[in-house]
Amino acid sequence: MKILLVEDEARLATAVRRVLNDEGYATDWSADGADGLSRASSGEYDVVLLDVMLPSYDGYEIARRLRRDGATVPILMLTARDGIQDRVRGLDAGADDYLVKPFALAELLARVRALSRRAKMGAAAETQILTVGDLELDIPAREARRGSRRIELTAREFALLETLMRHPGQVMSRSQLLDSVWSYDSTTESNVVDIYIHYLRNKIDRGFDRKLIRTARGMGYAIRAD
Ligand code: CA
């Protein structure tokens, strides 16, 4: 496991690297945005930890360029501000997760573990049957089931559910869902996502005690079993 840390605060970088190294991760450190981007593009890292405010390119720009160029490396943004806009901006730029400074190093470790686990699962080829709790989505057969109940979905509902289920537990912004399911420009303001989430809830959560589709107020939606 090799981690790239792009962070211009030397003291924080030192502390983060120390705790990662203690956990057995190899780390490289870059204190500059352009340098960080070129290293992150190399494909040799399992996770990239990305500060937002950096010399030359900022973290959003780095994430955006990496995703534009097709890099799939998990990105954890380290943001100084806790505003919803800042978080959504990071996720929209292509970050997988974010952590607000100041953060506990134990929490950083937990996020890194989760991201690397997810990356490994992704690398084990695209799973053909997705499950979240008792909900099962059979991609080749285009079938959805909750427990023993078969669920009929339209093509669009299926695509939306598949997108959520490929990122279990992860809040996906409306823009991410629009991009992924409708291929709209992410700047398009539309409540189509909310409408389809409503349809999906009627089909997969109604009548069940345990609701799977969660609303992250002001941020987006996630699917989660616990
Ligand atoms: Ca900084």
Side-chain angles (χ1 to χ4, degrees):
M1 284 294 300
K2 199 167 175 189
I3 296 176
L4 175 66
L5 171 63
V6 187
E7 167 64 69
D8 60 331
E9 292 164 46
R11 275 178 56 195
L12 178 60
T14 304
V16 166
R17 292 187 76 188
R18 186 175 299 137
V19 73
L20 289 171
N21 292 341
D22 285 349
E23 284 287 303
Y25 296 104
T27 58
D28 280 339
W29 173 39
S30 175
D32 171 80
D35 176 65
L37 174 61
S38 93
R39 287 185 195 223
S41 308
S42 68
E44 62 174 297
Y45 297 101
D46 299 288
V47 175
V48 174
L49 306 181
L50 201 49
D51 182 29
V52 172
M53 299 301 289
L54 289 163
S56 65
Y57 298 139
D58 69 18
Y60 301 128
E61 184 66 18
I62 294 171
R64 215 173 49 72
R65 287 179 183 237
L66 283 171
R67 294 305 184 228
R68 185 196 62 194
D69 297 339
T72 55
V73 61
I75 298 172
L76 175 61
M77 298 281 272
L78 309 174
T79 78
R81 289 174 298 176
D82 193 15
I84 285 168
Q85 285 311 317
D86 300 310
R87 287 183 256 169
V88 170
R89 200 172 159 205
L91 295 173
D92 279 348
D96 297 277
D97 199 359
Y98 55 85
L99 204 49
V100 177
K101 293 179 180 179
F103 49 79
L105 290 170
E107 184 169 13
L108 175 80
L109 276 179
R111 301 291 181 94
V112 166
R113 274 195 293 267
L115 279 179
S116 52
R117 211 161 40 226
R118 215 179 282 157
K120 265 188 223 128
M121 281 162 54
E126 299 254 287
T127 313
Q128 293 300 292
I129 296 182
L130 307 174
T131 57
V132 171
D134 57 353
L135 176 66
E136 191 178 287
L137 198 64
D138 184 330
I139 309 294
R142 315 298 293 173
E143 277 183 8
R145 266 174 203 291
R146 177 123 194 228
S148 56
R149 186 199 291 180
R150 169 93 189 268
I151 298 164
E152 297 292 337
L153 298 173
T154 65
R156 200 71 90 178
E157 290 164 355
F158 193 95
L160 178 58
L161 186 58
E162 178 182 347
T163 302
L164 289 169
M165 289 181 75
R166 285 200 184 278
H167 306 86
Q170 185 185 330
V171 173
M172 303 202 65
S173 69
R174 286 176 181 78
S175 314
Q176 283 178 312
L177 293 170
L178 272 176
D179 277 346
S180 158
V181 179
W182 283 267
S183 311
Y184 288 175
D185 186 280
S186 62
T187 56
T188 307
E189 265 308 318
S190 168
N191 65 348
V192 68
V193 172
D194 307 86
I195 292 167
Y196 273 82
I197 289 283
H198 176 73
Y199 294 157
L200 272 185
R201 281 188 159 133
N202 276 340
K203 292 189 174 181
I204 72 168
D205 276 341
R206 197 165 69 181
F208 289 92
D209 287 340
R210 201 162 64 157
K211 310 297 183 200
L212 301 177
I213 297 176
R214 315 298 175 93
T215 302
R217 202 168 289 279
M219 296 182 62
Y221 297 99
I223 194 159
R224 192 170 86 228
D226 54 330

